[in-house]
């Protein structure tokens, strides 16, 4: 058997070039968070995530807060540039809270405080868009708890 004549060569090349496969993703936010964590662990400059309006708005908020770099929306996916400070990832803790099987909604009075103090933040999905926990308290708006993020280097 000669090298290069394998019927799976084209599939492998496509997957290694784009890093996005056409598999079913039931929780795109959790998939995005996992890709960001894996990219930081491997010290990559950028990662590709699945494109949707919801994911773009979450990534845009994380970018405005300084947790990730630029976001480049391509035809079928999003290229997310990761931020490092002295060769260490800027994000110390990133956890997805709400899942498709367990939606965590909260009123403005019950929005939790981050266990990391001032350096930690929650992202909420509200009727006003994706906002942080401090913004939600300011405008008196509750919503669905999406994720918790923390950085001691920011």
């Amino acid at each position: 058997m000669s090298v290069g004549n394998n019927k799976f060569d084209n599939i492998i090349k496509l997957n290694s070039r784009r890093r996005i496969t056409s598999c079913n993703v039931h929780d795109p936010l959790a998939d995005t968070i996992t890709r960001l964590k894996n990219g930081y662990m491997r010290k990559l400059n950028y990662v590709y995530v699945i494109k949707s309006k919801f994911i773009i708005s979450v990534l845009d908020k994380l970018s405005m807060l300084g947790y990730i770099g630029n976001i480049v929306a391509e035809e079928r996916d999003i290229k997310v540039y990761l931020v490092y400070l002295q060769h260490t990832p800027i994000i110390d803790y990133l956890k997805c809270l709400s899942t498709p099987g367990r939606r965590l909604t909260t009123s403005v009075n019950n929005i939790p405080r981050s266990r990391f103090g001032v350096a930690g933040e929650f992202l909420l999905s509200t009727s006003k868009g994706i906002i942080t926990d401090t913004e939600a308290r300011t405008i008196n708006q509750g919503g669905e708890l999406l994720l918790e993020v923390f950085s001691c280097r920011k």
Side-chain angles (χ1 to χ4, degrees):
M1 187 172 176
S2 64
V3 177
N5 291 334
N6 191 349
K7 64 181 178 180
F8 297 110
D9 281 345
N10 292 335
I11 297 172
I12 294 169
K13 288 177 187 173
L14 179 65
N15 288 342
S16 65
R17 186 175 13 153
R18 296 303 301 163
R19 295 188 182 125
I20 295 285
T21 58
S22 62
C23 61
N24 263 345
V25 176
H26 298 289
D27 191 0
L29 181 62
D31 182 66
T32 300
I33 298 306
T34 303
R35 287 174 192 255
L36 290 175
K37 285 180 180 180
N38 290 342
Y40 276 122
M41 278 195 307
R42 293 188 59 210
K43 305 245 189 257
L44 299 176
N45 292 329
Y46 59 88
V47 293
Y48 286 100
V49 297
I50 296 172
K51 184 177 180 180
S52 73
K53 290 180 184 179
F54 174 68
I55 297 299
I56 289 174
S57 61
V58 170
L59 292 175
D60 188 40
K61 184 54 102 172
L62 287 174
S63 178
M64 287 184 348
L65 294 171
Y67 291 111
I68 59 174
N70 292 338
I71 303 163
V72 179
E74 296 179 357
E75 185 179 331
R76 298 185 67 187
D77 49 13
I78 306 168
K79 190 176 189 178
V80 181
Y81 288 91
L82 305 177
V83 176
Y84 298 92
L85 189 63
Q86 299 173 353
H87 305 290
T88 56
I90 198 144
I91 294 178
D92 291 319
Y93 181 81
L94 185 62
K95 184 176 182 182
C96 192
L97 300 174
S98 191
T99 63
R102 185 189 64 172
R103 301 285 186 195
L104 293 176
T105 57
T106 181
S107 65
V108 69
N109 298 330
N110 296 329
I111 295 175
R113 302 274 181 190
S114 178
R115 60 182 158 177
F116 301 109
V118 183
E121 296 177 283
F122 287 97
L123 286 187
L124 285 86
S125 175
T126 66
S127 59
K128 310 257 189 229
I130 307 295
I131 58 175
T132 63
D133 56 340
T134 54
E135 292 171 349
R137 287 186 192 95
T138 303
I139 63 173
N140 201 22
Q141 179 80 37
E144 180 182 352
L145 287 171
L146 295 177
L147 54 97
E148 184 180 13
V149 62
F150 164 72
S151 173
C152 63
R153 294 173 194 80
K154 195 175 93 165

